[in-house]
Amino acid sequence: MRKLVIAAVLLLILLAAGWYAGETWLSNRAREMVGGSGQITAAEVTPLRNPARVGLRLQDVDYGTAEAGFSAPDLEVYAPVSAPNTMTVDLPRQMQLRLGGAPIELTLEGGSARASISPTHEMTVRRAGVDARGLAVGGIEALQALDLDARLVHRGAAAPQGSAGAYAIDLSASGIALGALPERMEIAGPVQLWLSAVPGQAVLDGRAPPPAPTGIQTPGIEIAIGEMQARLIGRIEADENGYAMGEAAFYTDDARGFVEAGVAAGLIPQRGAMLANALIGNLAETGSPADQSSAGTVPETARDRAETAPPLSGEQAMDQVVALPPPAPGQIRLPLVLRDGEMRLGPVKLGPAPRMIR
């Protein structure tokens, strides 16, 4: 019994020494990487010295360029001992975001970002997520809660051309502030995202650029503002020139209420509201033009699969091309069509389509 106790103590000492040496090595390696990187700087890098996790504390962190990036007084990056392949960053309570060179002050009540990697598959990111609570921008509350979880899945038969990887995403956001509008917006639903490459060691090392999105679709994201409800369904993918192509639609029985909310929040100008209300009135009388205007935006073979495949549920539903169903009785379908580098709301041209791949 005495020898067993001595052996257990020696084992604990060896584990503690390994943990201590590992964090010391990590901090030294991180200092070298920070010193040799033009993207990230830190005034000091020190081990956490927390027995429950292996990690580092970075002081006065700055990432990115003068035009786009962020800075924070400190960051903790660690892997729990119980899950050594999952890197976690505790989001700082205060940070500064730079967009177009303009600084934006952000504060958080709490949150974290995490990524699980596969060491045997070139450090592929197989799962990632973000959770945040009490986000304020410039001292004004902007978001009460955000939860996002992305899981690496098979590309499936619905993958757009040029896709090398896919993630199934579960999104939930509540308490989203919309300008002066007193009601808050809530969003929740599944999303399928395809990428030109799977993030891995080359991206982490800076030897390869971050992958570009090749397609995105959802069978239904629920949107609520106060008592108003809507659902977003659609699929967008990159065309041969890299521009967004496809169709999406908002389904709601209170379309005019959403337009009024957009005006009250300062998101829709009065002229835009007049055009939107005219379109809503036209759709209420004649039905949606989406079926006619969107013909050809989805490859014929993919459209055939979408129309003939049996209905699926859960993650399986994200393995087939999403098609726009007809609106339910009392609903209006507001179609957003992207084709030939243009974006239209029904027959109304909104402007150029965004570029997905450069």
Side-chain angles (χ1 to χ4, degrees), residues 228 252-261 276-278 280-282 284:
M228 298 184 297
T252 180
D253 56 6
D254 196 356
R256 295 187 189 277
F258 274 94
V259 173
E260 292 173 2
N277 282 324
I280 291 170
N282 181 59

Side-chain angles (χ1 to χ4, degrees), residues 247-250 279 283 288-291 293-294 324 332-337 344-348 350:
E247 58 185 37
F250 289 94
L279 175 61
L283 293 178
S288 172
D291 292 335
S293 64
S294 62
L324 301 183
I332 285 180
R333 178 173 63 181
L334 293 174
L336 180 67
V337 180
R344 295 176 178 272
L345 182 63
V348 180
L350 300 179

